[in-house]
Amino acid sequence: MTKLAPAPDPVRSPRPGGVGPARRRRGRDSALPYLMIAPAAIVLLVILGYPIVRLAVLSFQKYDSRSLFTGESPFVFLDNYVEVLGDPEFWMVLWRTFAVTLLCVSLLMVIGFLLAQLLLRVSGWARLTLTICLVLVWAMPMVAAALIWQWLFQPQYGVVNWMLTQVGVFGDLRAHDWFSDPVQALALITLLIVWKGLPFVVLTMYAALGQIPSSMYEAAGLDGANAVDTVRHITIPMMRPVLAILIVLEVIWSVNSFTPFWVLTQGGPSGQTTTLAVYSYTTAFSANDYGGGAAISMITVGLLAAFAVFYVRRQVKQVDVR
């Protein structure tokens, strides 16, 4: 007796020339994440995209004080970039920015890691007190923090000068001007940037450390690993994605720091505390060379974007290899 073949499932069998319900469902599921982030992406594109495009266009124009009255800003293409890159002062400012950024990020990562470890080991009330202090520092506007810093190190009435004079180790510092020396001024500005950026680094690292299973440390202890070994082979590898994000963000924020430099020294003395952010501002608004200032800003954006892409790809490759 011949058996009849089972009838095709009308629900699952695709129609001739069409797409089955399962494939359509998969298509909707794959598009759902993009639809959910689309509103935020559009807002960011409008808010951030337009200024960057306008800045890029301005960097190819000759826009100076004359253009403000005549409205004429002819395109000079790469002339602004050639002039900026051919200026020896730009390269001095670039190396100074690199040195300050390297010092700031290094101090932030080391001190932030130590404070995050401290948060894990102190009692509950001490952890709460330290967290509140960090949040208050984070919430303080940078302008207010820079003005307080300026008052603390003021030559005649500064609290720091008075305290150091009372100690007597460094002699009479009641009339010492910290900001007249470029090395001392850069050191104080670096400390201000680190102090202001520590809360974000500490709280982020503390959250990351709390996600590492304690069983891994227990197993390492049974194998005879010491504190340095556990940090090197467990803590740092487990925190690698968070550390990568923190380093990229802190590099961007340190390079773009403008307020502490401008409030405390305005790039002085004799331009020896000028960084890329201050250099771009003074070129545009002090020298009235808006095209040149835009070119400096675009070079800064390009350098930061190249660093971010290179560093993130390098970290991803290291994770894939391991």
Side-chain angles (χ1 to χ4, degrees):
M1 184 175 179
T2 303
K3 294 183 179 181
L4 296 177
D9 189 352
V11 177
R12 295 188 178 180
S13 60
R15 291 175 297 178
V19 179
R23 184 173 298 180
R24 288 199 301 270
R25 191 182 308 112
R26 286 196 298 268
R28 289 195 299 267
D29 293 341
S30 61
L32 181 60
Y34 299 99
L35 293 176
M36 294 180 66
I37 67 173
I42 293 173
V43 171
L44 288 176
L45 185 62
V46 173
I47 295 178
L48 300 179
Y50 173 77
I52 293 178
V53 172
R54 185 67 185 92
L55 186 68
V57 173
L58 184 61
S59 67
F60 295 107
Q61 294 176 306
K62 180 176 177 56
Y63 201 103
D64 50 18
S65 56
R66 183 173 179 271
S67 303
L68 297 176
F69 297 97
T70 63
E72 298 177 357
S73 53
F75 280 91
V76 293
F77 300 100
L78 296 178
D79 287 358
N80 290 327
Y81 291 92
V82 172
E83 183 177 355
V84 168
L85 295 177
D87 188 358
E89 184 180 359
F90 168 78
W91 295 103
M92 294 178 59
V93 170
L94 180 62
W95 283 114
R96 187 182 301 118
T97 304
F98 172 78
V100 172
T101 301
L102 180 62
L103 183 59
C104 287
V105 175
S106 300
L107 290 175
L108 280 168
M109 293 298 108
V110 174
I111 300 175
F113 182 79
L114 295 176
L115 289 178
Q117 290 283 354
L118 180 64
L119 283 176
L120 286 175
R121 288 164 170 76
V122 297
S123 59
W125 67 268
R127 184 183 301 112
L128 178 62
T129 303
L130 183 56
T131 303
I132 292 175
C133 293
L134 290 172
V135 172
L136 290 177
V137 172
W138 197 4
M140 181 181 297
M142 178 58 87
V143 174
L147 290 175
I148 293 174
W149 216 255
Q150 188 180 50
W151 173 74
L152 288 174
F153 293 93
Q154 205 272 342
Q156 298 295 331
Y157 310 104
V159 177
V160 175
N161 286 8
W162 177 82
M163 291 179 61
L164 293 177
T165 302
Q166 296 301 314
V167 172
V169 177
F170 303 98
D172 188 359
L173 296 177
R174 285 176 295 182
H176 180 71
D177 188 0
W178 297 87
F179 301 107
S180 62
D181 183 84
V183 176
Q184 295 179 6
L186 284 174
L188 292 180
I189 294 172
T190 300
L191 289 177
L192 174 58
I193 295 173
V194 171
W195 176 75
K196 195 69 176 66
L198 265 179
F200 176 76
V201 175
V202 173
L203 296 178
T204 304
M205 286 188 176
Y206 171 67
L209 288 171
Q211 302 301 315
I212 301 177
S214 58
S215 59
M216 300 184 67
Y217 293 106
E218 295 173 359
L222 294 175
D223 291 338
N226 55 30
V228 177
D229 293 332
T230 56
V231 170
R232 180 181 176 184
H233 298 289
I234 296 177
T235 306
I236 300 299
M238 294 293 292
M239 293 181 61
R240 190 177 299 276
V242 175
L243 292 177
I245 294 174
L246 282 176
I247 290 175
V248 170
L249 290 178
E250 292 303 329
V251 166
I252 293 174
W253 289 338
S254 298
V255 171
N256 290 328
S257 292
F258 171 80
T259 304
F261 291 93
W262 189 253
V263 172
L264 294 177
T265 64
Q266 294 187 355
S270 302
Q272 296 184 69
T273 60
T274 299
T275 56
L276 283 175
V278 178
Y279 187 53
S280 174
Y281 178 84
T282 54
T283 301
F285 297 101
S286 296
N288 292 325
D289 184 7
Y290 302 101
I296 297 171
S297 298
M298 289 305 302
I299 293 173
T300 304
V301 172
L303 291 174
L304 291 175
F307 165 77
V309 172
F310 170 77
Y311 186 77
V312 171
R313 291 186 63 181
R314 183 170 177 269
Q315 294 299 315
V316 170
K317 288 181 179 179
Q318 288 183 354
V319 173
D320 292 341
V321 170
R322 297 189 180 192

